[in-house]
Amino acid sequence: MDKPLNILIAGGGIGGLTAALALHAKGHRVTVCEATAELKPLGVGINLLPHAVAVLDTLGLLPALRAMAVETSALVFANRHGQEIYRDPRGLDGGYSHPQLSIHRGQLQLKLWDEALARLGAEQMHTGERLLSARMVGNQVIAQFQHADDSSGERSADVLIGADGIHSALRRQFYPDEGAPRWNGMMMWRGTSIAKPFLDGRTMVQAGHRLAKFVVYPIAPPAADGTQLVNWICDRRLREDGIGGGLSAPSREDWSKPGQLADLLPTFGSWHFPWLDVPGLIQQATQLLEWPMVDRDPLPRWSHGCITLLGDAAHPMYPIGSNGATQAILDAQCLAEQLGAGESIEAALRAYESERLPICARIVEMNRQEGLDAILDLVEQRAPAGFERLADVIDPAEIDTLVRQYKAAAGHRQQ
């Protein structure tokens, strides 16, 4: 398509804002409507894989992100005793063209919002507008929004992108019988603490097994006093339901509620690693939030007319393998490219969907099989008390095979 399009994005999260910047860079007129009335740097840490960082680099964001993030040197898998099982070099240290960035999610979102404000203009950026529904009228999309003051209004566009998260109104409109997200019985307690750096100060660690897992990584450069903001996650399985979910998750109102140390210390209170005091770090928490680990089944299609889905609205997945924000950013890049190449809007959206949907569906399924965390389960099964020699427990070639298969499917690309 040669002419610029009028594009409306419902959702000002990482995926929606990246799409806004990428589409604006292609010359389109983009409007973003975010349901939250006032954006604040909420949330905890996330990881952006190198292929997502490369997208943000093309948008001119890499220098600013580097200043506020940690360039992850390696992902280390360990048992619940803190013994290293596998070290996977990441980012520049792993031979990739771009770094892997560990970063505070809320601060990243605010940075993307500020960039969109500067580039798109304040008149194109709206808060306190929640998408309710959308319909096609001729070749235009008419979207209905509810405002923060409970009034409602409509906006029209050539294209509507639903980047409105796992509880997407657009997704529910297209698939009204889908029901609630699927829960796998695991609860996640996510926190941040100010602590002294561990290992090299740039390492991400996943320790434990499928019943209890501890993930930890720094998300900000060291401060003047030598401490770092450290993100950590305690996963604890509360119910068993096999692989693939299907349980009813706690009600939506209970998501992101404050967590309690009493829920964690009975399980993780004895996890003292040679290089990290886990209960000590937990007890230093500056914030502690609780989430169910949920996803949804892959959809048969994302696009309907001139409307499509992106990010968690399209493919919510378990937070395994650092794929949530990364895949949303890749969605944004692909969508911007296809809307510049297609013969029509509908053809462009079909091309976007045909490229991205199978990849994301595959990641959803792999994450239901524990993703790379399956390495932890193998070692726990074979050596629950720990080991003297890893080679007596697992063949390194077995690990390498699992890593290569997962990373290939998730889109890792080295130089």
Side-chain angles (χ1 to χ4, degrees):
M1 288 162 288
D2 296 327
K3 68 172 185 176
L5 298 172
N6 179 21
I7 300 175
L8 179 60
I9 299 176
I14 292 168
L17 291 171
T18 303
L21 293 169
L23 289 162
H24 175 266
K26 297 287 188 180
H28 301 296
R29 184 177 187 272
V30 183
T31 302
V32 176
C33 295
E34 161 59 32
T36 304
E38 181 182 0
L39 288 181
K40 297 179 181 179
L42 301 177
V44 286
I46 61 171
N47 265 262
L48 301 178
L49 297 177
H51 39 306
V53 175
V55 175
L56 299 176
D57 188 18
T58 65
L59 298 172
L61 297 170
L62 184 54
L65 297 182
R66 272 183 150 155
M68 59 194 291
V70 171
E71 297 190 22
T72 309
S73 63
L75 169 59
V76 170
F77 293 90
N79 63 9
R80 59 191 170 98
H81 309 289
Q83 295 176 294
E84 184 174 314
I85 297 169
Y86 181 76
R87 176 179 294 267
D88 184 25
R90 290 297 177 104
L92 300 179
D93 294 78
Y96 293 83
S97 64
H98 286 74
Q100 175 171 322
L101 297 180
S102 297
I103 192 168
H104 189 287
R105 184 198 180 282
Q107 292 176 3
L108 172 61
Q109 181 186 15
L110 284 184
K111 178 61 182 175
L112 293 173
W113 183 271
D114 289 343
E115 286 292 331
L117 273 176
R119 301 183 193 186
L120 278 62
E123 69 279 2
Q124 302 303 115
M125 305 292 293
H126 303 273
T127 56
E129 293 195 21
R130 182 183 303 278
L131 179 68
L132 297 178
S133 62
R135 65 188 188 277
M136 293 295 302
V137 177
N139 60 358
Q140 286 286 290
V141 182
I142 307 299
Q144 183 176 12
F145 288 86
Q146 181 179 34
H147 301 152
D149 62 4
D150 287 334
S151 65
S152 61
E154 292 185 340
R155 293 183 180 274
S156 64
D158 298 317
V159 183
L160 172 61
I161 301 169
D164 49 344
I166 191 170
H167 300 292
S168 168
L170 273 183
R171 182 178 178 127
R172 185 168 58 251
Q173 176 179 322
F174 295 138
Y175 300 94
D177 299 325
E178 183 178 33
R182 294 164 58 100
W183 183 41
N184 67 352
M186 184 80 80
M187 290 299 295
M188 303 181 294
W189 287 263
R190 309 184 71 160
T192 54
S193 302
I194 303 294
K196 293 181 179 179
F198 62 90
L199 299 176
D200 66 351
R202 299 196 297 124
T203 296
M204 179 180 183
V205 178
Q206 297 185 190
H209 48 85
R210 69 180 303 273
L211 298 181
K213 184 172 63 179
F214 185 74
V215 181
V216 62
Y217 52 92
I219 56 173
D225 63 0
T227 61
Q228 275 184 297
L229 182 63
V230 175
N231 178 83
W232 51 265
I233 307 164
C234 291
D235 292 347
R236 187 161 64 86
R237 187 168 296 280
L238 303 186
R239 293 178 61 186
E240 283 287 357
D241 190 48
I243 294 174
L247 292 169
S248 296
S251 67
R252 181 177 175 182
E253 291 72 23
D254 289 336
W255 291 27
S256 303
K257 71 179 183 181
Q260 304 297 321
L261 290 175
D263 293 326
L264 303 179
L265 293 178
T267 299
F268 299 96
S270 61
W271 289 32
H272 298 279
F273 301 160
W275 43 270
L276 183 67
D277 177 9
V278 172
L281 186 69
I282 292 172
Q283 291 170 324
Q284 295 173 32
T286 56
Q287 66 170 338
L288 175 57
L289 301 172
E290 179 181 329
W291 272 280
M293 186 179 288
V294 296
D295 69 359
R296 290 187 184 275
D297 288 336
L299 295 175
R301 57 188 287 206
W302 297 345
S303 303
H304 301 259
C306 297
I307 303 170
T308 197
L309 302 175
L310 181 147
D312 280 350
H315 48 74
M317 56 187 64
Y318 296 157
I320 293 173
S322 304
N323 270 299
T326 289
Q327 296 304 323
I329 290 169
L330 297 179
D331 287 349
Q333 177 193 42
C334 179
L335 183 55
E337 291 176 349
Q338 294 298 344
L339 281 172
E343 295 180 359
S344 67
I345 293 172
E346 291 89 343
L349 297 186
R350 286 194 298 270
Y352 155 69
E353 179 182 293
S354 66
E355 179 177 337
R356 295 294 302 152
L357 191 155
I359 293 171
C360 294
R362 174 63 177 147
I363 296 173
V364 169
E365 295 297 338
M366 289 192 303
N367 283 1
R368 287 180 176 178
Q369 304 291 329
E370 301 291 315
L372 290 179
D373 293 359
I375 297 168
L376 303 178
D377 300 338
L378 289 173
V379 173
E380 173 67 16
Q381 293 165 8
R382 299 171 188 180
F387 52 81
E388 292 186 6
R389 292 178 65 252
L390 180 62
D392 295 335
V393 179
I394 190 169
D395 184 348
E398 186 176 1
I399 298 177
D400 287 338
T401 297
L402 288 171
V403 172
R404 285 198 305 271
Q405 290 175 344
Y406 185 89
K407 289 171 74 171
H412 290 244
R413 297 184 298 272
Q414 289 177 297
Q415 289 178 317

